[in-house]
Amino acid sequence: MTLSDLGHDDWTRFTLKQRLQRYAVFAACALAIGWAISSIEVIWAWVWDAPSQMGDLFGRMIPPDPSNLGAILRVLWETVNIATIATAFAVILSLPVAWLAAQNTTPSRATLWIGRFILVSSRSINTIIWALLFVAIFGPGIVAGIVAIMFRSIGFVGKLLGEAIEEIDKRPVEALEATGASRLKVIAYAIVPQVMPTFWAVSILRWDINLRESTVLGLVGAGGIGIILQGAIDTFNWREAATVLLAILGLVILGEIVSAWLRRRIL
């Protein structure tokens, strides 16, 4: 005996009204995508010709030219230093910002919005834009790159740490406050131990991200391996450009290995 034999209708996941609403949403998305594509100026002849152009470009890159490998490795080490120094400063500076941006630790409503404004300002501006700004201030070089990466990282680290502070277990805090402990002791013994795993995880993650972002800073004169890459592209030295790209790939893979090792050792 089936449901139809008992006089019941066949089961459907969505009602007719729900199906129509879903179709309307799909149609709206399709129209939005179509309008977006039609509103940009695309030279379709170049799009269809892209595979052959890519094949020609990769052909010019083979074999990579290792004649400038020594300089590439030196600048690659400079890239690592930019990411490491910037991450260290960003983590230190993000701690008070995270404390201000967390609702359960900020002194007042005004400081809460000040902290959140700093986080939003940092994250809303791309690293390349920060780099362009600080190249104009400090001049070309690694100082501009370090400050650019640092400013970009403060918002990322501070936001995640602030959220971790807001999600802590309140019982240790209330227990210490009941004993008359000072605000500093409450932070040191009730909040910090709960946030430390997140602190280390976020710091390692941000260093890994900064390692990648530091490779393109040289394109705007902020130091790092991007300087040699830009020079190779400008002079159509595609074989050297291939060597630089392989070096960047190796650096990223090494960064993944180091990050995984640090997580296993610390967390």
PDB file of all heavy atoms in Angstrom, residues 99-116 183:
ATOM      1  N   TRP A  99      41.857  44.360  22.118  1.00  0.00           N
ATOM      2  CA  TRP A  99      41.298  44.602  23.453  1.00  0.00           C
ATOM      3  C   TRP A  99      40.242  45.705  23.409  1.00  0.00           C
ATOM      4  O   TRP A  99      39.198  45.610  24.051  1.00  0.00           O
ATOM      5  CB  TRP A  99      42.438  44.991  24.399  1.00  0.00           C
ATOM      6  CG  TRP A  99      42.005  45.272  25.799  1.00  0.00           C
ATOM      7  CD1 TRP A  99      41.577  44.372  26.738  1.00  0.00           C
ATOM      8  CD2 TRP A  99      41.951  46.555  26.443  1.00  0.00           C
ATOM      9  NE1 TRP A  99      41.276  44.999  27.917  1.00  0.00           N
ATOM     10  CE2 TRP A  99      41.491  46.347  27.769  1.00  0.00           C
ATOM     11  CE3 TRP A  99      42.257  47.846  26.032  1.00  0.00           C
ATOM     12  CZ2 TRP A  99      41.326  47.392  28.667  1.00  0.00           C
ATOM     13  CZ3 TRP A  99      42.091  48.883  26.926  1.00  0.00           C
ATOM     14  CH2 TRP A  99      41.638  48.649  28.232  1.00  0.00           C
ATOM     15  N   LEU A 100      40.481  46.737  22.600  1.00  0.00           N
ATOM     16  CA  LEU A 100      39.498  47.815  22.455  1.00  0.00           C
ATOM     17  C   LEU A 100      38.275  47.372  21.668  1.00  0.00           C
ATOM     18  O   LEU A 100      37.157  47.821  21.933  1.00  0.00           O
ATOM     19  CB  LEU A 100      40.141  49.016  21.753  1.00  0.00           C
ATOM     20  CG  LEU A 100      41.212  49.790  22.507  1.00  0.00           C
ATOM     21  CD1 LEU A 100      41.788  50.889  21.627  1.00  0.00           C
ATOM     22  CD2 LEU A 100      40.657  50.391  23.796  1.00  0.00           C
ATOM     23  N   ALA A 101      38.484  46.490  20.687  1.00  0.00           N
ATOM     24  CA  ALA A 101      37.400  46.106  19.780  1.00  0.00           C
ATOM     25  C   ALA A 101      36.520  44.993  20.337  1.00  0.00           C
ATOM     26  O   ALA A 101      35.485  44.679  19.734  1.00  0.00           O
ATOM     27  CB  ALA A 101      37.976  45.674  18.429  1.00  0.00           C
ATOM     28  N   ALA A 102      36.914  44.362  21.455  1.00  0.00           N
ATOM     29  CA  ALA A 102      36.101  43.309  22.064  1.00  0.00           C
ATOM     30  C   ALA A 102      35.120  43.924  23.061  1.00  0.00           C
ATOM     31  O   ALA A 102      35.505  44.730  23.905  1.00  0.00           O
ATOM     32  CB  ALA A 102      36.995  42.285  22.766  1.00  0.00           C
ATOM     33  N   GLN A 103      33.858  43.528  22.979  1.00  0.00           N
ATOM     34  CA  GLN A 103      32.825  44.150  23.805  1.00  0.00           C
ATOM     35  C   GLN A 103      33.016  43.893  25.294  1.00  0.00           C
ATOM     36  O   GLN A 103      32.627  44.721  26.119  1.00  0.00           O
ATOM     37  CB  GLN A 103      31.441  43.635  23.376  1.00  0.00           C
ATOM     38  CG  GLN A 103      31.039  44.059  21.973  1.00  0.00           C
ATOM     39  CD  GLN A 103      29.611  43.686  21.643  1.00  0.00           C
ATOM     40  OE1 GLN A 103      28.782  43.537  22.530  1.00  0.00           O
ATOM     41  NE2 GLN A 103      29.316  43.524  20.363  1.00  0.00           N
ATOM     42  N   ASN A 104      33.617  42.749  25.642  1.00  0.00           N
ATOM     43  CA  ASN A 104      33.741  42.405  27.058  1.00  0.00           C
ATOM     44  C   ASN A 104      35.028  42.912  27.708  1.00  0.00           C
ATOM     45  O   ASN A 104      35.256  42.682  28.891  1.00  0.00           O
ATOM     46  CB  ASN A 104      33.633  40.889  27.244  1.00  0.00           C
ATOM     47  CG  ASN A 104      34.627  40.134  26.377  1.00  0.00           C
ATOM     48  OD1 ASN A 104      35.156  40.660  25.399  1.00  0.00           O
ATOM     49  ND2 ASN A 104      34.872  38.888  26.718  1.00  0.00           N
ATOM     50  N   THR A 105      35.874  43.607  26.942  1.00  0.00           N
ATOM     51  CA  THR A 105      37.095  44.157  27.531  1.00  0.00           C
ATOM     52  C   THR A 105      37.263  45.650  27.270  1.00  0.00           C
ATOM     53  O   THR A 105      38.075  46.289  27.941  1.00  0.00           O
ATOM     54  CB  THR A 105      38.345  43.427  26.987  1.00  0.00           C
ATOM     55  OG1 THR A 105      38.366  43.521  25.550  1.00  0.00           O
ATOM     56  CG2 THR A 105      38.357  41.973  27.417  1.00  0.00           C
ATOM     57  N   THR A 106      36.563  46.188  26.298  1.00  0.00           N
ATOM     58  CA  THR A 106      36.739  47.608  25.971  1.00  0.00           C
ATOM     59  C   THR A 106      36.250  48.488  27.131  1.00  0.00           C
ATOM     60  O   THR A 106      35.250  48.170  27.785  1.00  0.00           O
ATOM     61  CB  THR A 106      35.977  47.953  24.680  1.00  0.00           C
ATOM     62  OG1 THR A 106      36.359  49.265  24.242  1.00  0.00           O
ATOM     63  CG2 THR A 106      34.479  47.882  24.884  1.00  0.00           C
ATOM     64  N   PRO A 107      36.940  49.585  27.419  1.00  0.00           N
ATOM     65  CA  PRO A 107      36.541  50.429  28.558  1.00  0.00           C
ATOM     66  C   PRO A 107      35.198  51.121  28.368  1.00  0.00           C
ATOM     67  O   PRO A 107      34.477  51.343  29.340  1.00  0.00           O
ATOM     68  CB  PRO A 107      37.688  51.454  28.641  1.00  0.00           C
ATOM     69  CG  PRO A 107      38.836  50.813  27.944  1.00  0.00           C
ATOM     70  CD  PRO A 107      38.246  49.973  26.873  1.00  0.00           C
ATOM     71  N   SER A 108      34.861  51.512  27.139  1.00  0.00           N
ATOM     72  CA  SER A 108      33.616  52.252  26.927  1.00  0.00           C
ATOM     73  C   SER A 108      33.126  52.025  25.504  1.00  0.00           C
ATOM     74  O   SER A 108      33.812  51.405  24.676  1.00  0.00           O
ATOM     75  CB  SER A 108      33.835  53.756  27.157  1.00  0.00           C
ATOM     76  OG  SER A 108      34.717  54.288  26.182  1.00  0.00           O
ATOM     77  N   ARG A 109      31.947  52.551  25.229  1.00  0.00           N
ATOM     78  CA  ARG A 109      31.379  52.440  23.887  1.00  0.00           C
ATOM     79  C   ARG A 109      32.220  53.191  22.865  1.00  0.00           C
ATOM     80  O   ARG A 109      32.381  52.756  21.725  1.00  0.00           O
ATOM     81  CB  ARG A 109      29.951  53.007  23.896  1.00  0.00           C
ATOM     82  CG  ARG A 109      29.110  52.639  22.689  1.00  0.00           C
ATOM     83  CD  ARG A 109      28.716  51.191  22.749  1.00  0.00           C
ATOM     84  NE  ARG A 109      27.879  50.826  21.627  1.00  0.00           N
ATOM     85  CZ  ARG A 109      27.503  49.584  21.373  1.00  0.00           C
ATOM     86  NH1 ARG A 109      27.907  48.592  22.166  1.00  0.00           N
ATOM     87  NH2 ARG A 109      26.742  49.303  20.342  1.00  0.00           N
ATOM     88  N   ALA A 110      32.780  54.317  23.279  1.00  0.00           N
ATOM     89  CA  ALA A 110      33.603  55.111  22.365  1.00  0.00           C
ATOM     90  C   ALA A 110      34.858  54.347  21.963  1.00  0.00           C
ATOM     91  O   ALA A 110      35.229  54.308  20.784  1.00  0.00           O
ATOM     92  CB  ALA A 110      33.968  56.442  23.019  1.00  0.00           C
ATOM     93  N   THR A 111      35.540  53.726  22.943  1.00  0.00           N
ATOM     94  CA  THR A 111      36.745  52.964  22.618  1.00  0.00           C
ATOM     95  C   THR A 111      36.419  51.736  21.780  1.00  0.00           C
ATOM     96  O   THR A 111      37.231  51.309  20.947  1.00  0.00           O
ATOM     97  CB  THR A 111      37.467  52.537  23.903  1.00  0.00           C
ATOM     98  OG1 THR A 111      36.559  51.779  24.729  1.00  0.00           O
ATOM     99  CG2 THR A 111      37.968  53.741  24.675  1.00  0.00           C
ATOM    100  N   LEU A 112      35.225  51.170  21.966  1.00  0.00           N
ATOM    101  CA  LEU A 112      34.808  50.031  21.139  1.00  0.00           C
ATOM    102  C   LEU A 112      34.771  50.422  19.671  1.00  0.00           C
ATOM    103  O   LEU A 112      35.311  49.716  18.807  1.00  0.00           O
ATOM    104  CB  LEU A 112      33.436  49.539  21.595  1.00  0.00           C
ATOM    105  CG  LEU A 112      32.789  48.449  20.727  1.00  0.00           C
ATOM    106  CD1 LEU A 112      33.584  47.154  20.807  1.00  0.00           C
ATOM    107  CD2 LEU A 112      31.341  48.212  21.142  1.00  0.00           C
ATOM    108  N   TRP A 113      34.159  51.564  19.378  1.00  0.00           N
ATOM    109  CA  TRP A 113      34.056  51.995  17.991  1.00  0.00           C
ATOM    110  C   TRP A 113      35.393  52.482  17.447  1.00  0.00           C
ATOM    111  O   TRP A 113      35.658  52.357  16.246  1.00  0.00           O
ATOM    112  CB  TRP A 113      32.983  53.073  17.873  1.00  0.00           C
ATOM    113  CG  TRP A 113      31.611  52.505  17.980  1.00  0.00           C
ATOM    114  CD1 TRP A 113      30.726  52.640  19.014  1.00  0.00           C
ATOM    115  CD2 TRP A 113      30.974  51.650  17.027  1.00  0.00           C
ATOM    116  NE1 TRP A 113      29.578  51.933  18.780  1.00  0.00           N
ATOM    117  CE2 TRP A 113      29.697  51.310  17.559  1.00  0.00           C
ATOM    118  CE3 TRP A 113      31.341  51.131  15.794  1.00  0.00           C
ATOM    119  CZ2 TRP A 113      28.801  50.489  16.882  1.00  0.00           C
ATOM    120  CZ3 TRP A 113      30.446  50.307  15.122  1.00  0.00           C
ATOM    121  CH2 TRP A 113      29.189  50.003  15.662  1.00  0.00           C
ATOM    122  N   ILE A 114      36.246  53.016  18.310  1.00  0.00           N
ATOM    123  CA  ILE A 114      37.590  53.387  17.859  1.00  0.00           C
ATOM    124  C   ILE A 114      38.359  52.143  17.425  1.00  0.00           C
ATOM    125  O   ILE A 114      38.993  52.115  16.366  1.00  0.00           O
ATOM    126  CB  ILE A 114      38.346  54.141  18.969  1.00  0.00           C
ATOM    127  CG1 ILE A 114      37.734  55.524  19.194  1.00  0.00           C
ATOM    128  CG2 ILE A 114      39.834  54.264  18.629  1.00  0.00           C
ATOM    129  CD1 ILE A 114      38.319  56.261  20.383  1.00  0.00           C
ATOM    130  N   GLY A 115      38.310  51.090  18.266  1.00  0.00           N
ATOM    131  CA  GLY A 115      38.994  49.850  17.920  1.00  0.00           C
ATOM    132  C   GLY A 115      38.451  49.239  16.643  1.00  0.00           C
ATOM    133  O   GLY A 115      39.222  48.794  15.782  1.00  0.00           O
ATOM    134  N   ARG A 116      37.141  49.223  16.493  1.00  0.00           N
ATOM    135  CA  ARG A 116      36.556  48.629  15.291  1.00  0.00           C
ATOM    136  C   ARG A 116      36.834  49.470  14.048  1.00  0.00           C
ATOM    137  O   ARG A 116      36.977  48.932  12.951  1.00  0.00           O
ATOM    138  CB  ARG A 116      35.056  48.431  15.503  1.00  0.00           C
ATOM    139  CG  ARG A 116      34.781  47.379  16.552  1.00  0.00           C
ATOM    140  CD  ARG A 116      33.342  46.991  16.639  1.00  0.00           C
ATOM    141  NE  ARG A 116      33.163  45.864  17.561  1.00  0.00           N
ATOM    142  CZ  ARG A 116      31.992  45.297  17.833  1.00  0.00           C
ATOM    143  NH1 ARG A 116      30.885  45.759  17.251  1.00  0.00           N
ATOM    144  NH2 ARG A 116      31.926  44.284  18.668  1.00  0.00           N
ATOM    145  N   ARG A 183      42.142  44.460  37.506  1.00  0.00           N
ATOM    146  CA  ARG A 183      41.814  44.266  36.087  1.00  0.00           C
ATOM    147  C   ARG A 183      42.976  43.622  35.338  1.00  0.00           C
ATOM    148  O   ARG A 183      42.775  42.759  34.483  1.00  0.00           O
ATOM    149  CB  ARG A 183      41.481  45.619  35.462  1.00  0.00           C
ATOM    150  CG  ARG A 183      41.004  45.550  34.018  1.00  0.00           C
ATOM    151  CD  ARG A 183      39.719  44.779  33.904  1.00  0.00           C
ATOM    152  NE  ARG A 183      39.210  44.787  32.534  1.00  0.00           N
ATOM    153  CZ  ARG A 183      38.211  44.020  32.121  1.00  0.00           C
ATOM    154  NH1 ARG A 183      37.617  43.194  32.971  1.00  0.00           N
ATOM    155  NH2 ARG A 183      37.799  44.089  30.878  1.00  0.00           N
TER     156      ARG A 183
END
